[in-house]
Amino acid sequence: MMKRTPLYERHVKLGAKIVPFAGWQMPLSYSGVTDEHQSVRTAAGLFDISHMGRFELSGKGAEAYLERLTPGPVHKMQRGSAQYSMLLNKTGGILDDIYLYKRGVDKFFVIVNAANLDKDFKWMTSHLPPGVDLKDVSGETALLALQGPKSWEVLVQIIPFGKTEIALRNFIETELVPARGAKGIIARTGYTGEKGYELVIPAEAAETVWNALLEAGKAERIKPVGLGARDTLRLEMGYPLYGHDMDEKTTPIEADLERFIDFEKDFIGKEALVRQREKGSQRKLIGFELLTGGVPREGHTIYSDQKIIGKVASGNFSPSLRKGIGMGYVDPRYSEIGSEVLIDIRGNATPAIIVKRPFYKKKK
């Protein structure tokens, strides 16, 4: 049985194209992927991402537990800050990429990927020390993302008067005016590369808050946005997608996520990563742009000098750049920026150039 978010009926009424995704019936698009994509880049877009998992973690020793469980510098987090991180297995493979929110001393909120919810909960529970409590609150909450350069102008209309703009990778816990005082977590985080916010709210308030945001954003030409544009937006930024650009057989070093690792501390998977750093990895995630027409897709072969050097992990047509872009894993010897490679797109050897990510850079 496919799951539905608290906003499923709303999406149907808005004319969304519904598709299966990670066991959920989710909106792919409403007005069209390109139209929704441009709305987020130029104004504001509203996403229902309630399919993602949400855990509450609390109890004496919760911070020390996360410090050991994740490779990032949890000790650097202040109350009200958010941190991108990962769960790693003993061989350094990525079980999931996650977001941590520090709500207080030994009190955290964790967001995980939809397809990994059960696996993550089991993994985290299996390492729980006595006195630390992990609770799955996915069913009693909803998760919305309000993204785009005009997102603050929209958000400010549904939170109590006098709130100052939230700093990047920080969050507030506040009442939501339309939901008659229901409290939510509002974080300055996102997956689009634009200014934006993610809102954790009670499930029963989801439709009220969703409708209020769409109403508040009318002057800013806000649009509801589906998973199609969420994918093109994240790809333009070079953000990896779990299950495509990384999995349990991929390490953060191979996935170009080493900057999120604190090698000064102990964590699960550290020994394997230290060895890989010393020896060098067998493959590396690169970004590429097509030099001619075509759309690269996951699984397409990457060649150099008639030799197979890797495979495409994520690919699509970029609405902002008007060309095919992608990411893939290649032999590190062929990963230099500026190098030309060939992508096999349906039997056509399509020329591409390796570029620095993000692909899309906002004009100053």
Side-chain angles (χ1 to χ4, degrees):
M1 183 76 180
M2 300 287 280
K3 296 183 203 161
R4 294 174 172 179
T5 80
L7 290 163
Y8 175 82
E9 299 297 341
R10 198 80 203 93
H11 302 315
V12 172
K13 278 183 188 150
L14 286 165
K17 182 183 178 186
I18 304 290
V19 296
F21 181 81
W24 292 77
Q25 287 185 296
M26 294 295 292
L28 178 71
S29 66
Y30 304 82
S31 57
V33 172
T34 301
D35 184 56
E36 292 162 31
H37 179 109
Q38 300 298 9
S39 283
V40 175
R41 287 275 179 255
T42 60
L46 184 61
F47 305 72
D48 175 14
I49 49 173
S50 303
H51 60 304
M52 298 185 80
R54 296 171 290 286
F55 305 155
E56 282 179 351
L57 181 75
S58 60
K60 191 170 168 50
E63 182 164 324
Y65 158 78
L66 278 181
E67 198 76 85
R68 166 100 180 110
L69 197 73
T70 67
V74 179
H75 59 276
K76 289 187 178 172
M77 294 182 74
Q78 305 292 321
R79 181 177 182 168
S81 71
Q83 186 179 97
Y84 175 79
S85 194
M86 288 158 272
L87 297 174
L88 306 180
N89 60 26
K90 288 188 174 68
T91 57
I94 304 171
L95 293 165
D96 202 3
D97 65 333
I98 64 176
Y99 238 103
L100 306 175
Y101 301 82
K102 185 171 181 177
R103 302 172 80 177
V105 176
D106 282 328
K107 196 176 177 192
F108 292 85
F109 198 82
V110 186
I111 294 184
V112 304
N113 282 299
N116 296 332
L117 190 154
D118 293 336
K119 175 182 77 172
D120 290 357
F121 194 78
K122 279 181 192 156
W123 176 259
M124 292 178 75
T125 302
S126 72
H127 292 87
L128 266 187
V132 179
D133 183 52
L134 181 70
K135 187 184 177 193
D136 178 3
V137 295
S138 310
E140 60 205 64
T141 56
L143 181 60
L144 309 182
L146 173 65
Q147 303 280 304
K150 301 289 188 181
S151 53
W152 174 252
E153 285 82 347
V154 179
L155 179 66
V156 80
Q157 297 180 58
I158 72 146
I159 57 176
F161 177 75
K163 296 282 182 192
T164 52
E165 204 165 335
I166 305 162
L168 186 62
R169 283 184 292 279
N170 277 262
F171 68 92
I172 59 171
E173 298 200 42
T174 182
E175 291 182 349
L176 302 156
V177 176
R180 303 211 172 151
K183 283 195 90 170
I185 295 173
I186 303 179
R188 175 90 181 270
T189 49
Y191 197 45
T192 64
E194 296 296 332
K195 178 196 272 189
Y197 305 87
E198 292 176 320
L199 296 79
V200 181
I201 55 179
E204 63 273 15
E207 191 164 344
T208 304
V209 174
W210 171 272
N211 292 341
L213 285 167
L214 286 182
E215 186 61 34
K218 272 185 176 171
E220 309 296 349
R221 303 187 315 282
I222 193 172
K223 286 189 177 161
V225 186
L227 293 180
R230 185 167 157 84
D231 191 56
T232 54
L233 289 158
R234 72 90 193 168
L235 184 58
E236 287 185 347
M237 297 310 297
Y239 294 156
L241 175 63
Y242 195 89
H244 300 264
D245 308 299
M246 54 183 159
D247 55 25
E248 294 182 25
K249 294 187 176 74
T250 313
T251 71
I253 293 170
E254 294 164 346
D256 196 23
L257 297 171
E258 201 174 328
R259 63 194 177 281
F260 298 106
I261 299 173
D262 178 7
F263 279 103
E264 300 299 307
K265 67 168 201 174
D266 280 328
F267 57 88
I268 295 169
K270 179 180 177 180
E271 285 178 21
L273 296 186
V274 168
R275 280 197 303 274
Q276 190 175 50
R277 267 217 306 188
E278 287 165 356
K279 287 184 177 175
S281 58
Q282 300 299 302
R283 58 188 193 138
K284 185 180 176 185
L285 187 69
I286 54 119
F288 63 85
E289 292 179 356
L290 297 189
L291 296 170
T292 60
V295 180
R297 296 293 186 193
E298 182 178 0
H300 286 170
T301 307
I302 306 173
Y303 292 88
S304 179
D305 299 327
Q306 298 179 319
K307 180 184 171 188
I308 294 175
I309 60 163
K311 275 201 171 357
V312 175
S314 275
N316 215 323
F317 178 78
S318 160
S320 302
L321 304 175
R322 311 294 301 162
K323 63 172 87 165
I325 61 171
M327 298 193 289
Y329 283 93
V330 300
D331 181 323
R333 291 172 297 178
Y334 298 89
S335 64
E336 198 173 324
I337 287 169
S339 305
E340 282 200 30
V341 293
L342 294 171
I343 315 291
D344 183 348
I345 301 178
R346 294 185 190 154
N348 295 320
T350 309
I353 187 165
I354 296 176
V355 296
K356 192 177 178 183
R357 287 162 290 153
F359 301 95
Y360 171 78
K361 296 165 189 78
K362 270 198 104 58
K363 296 177 179 71
K364 297 287 186 204

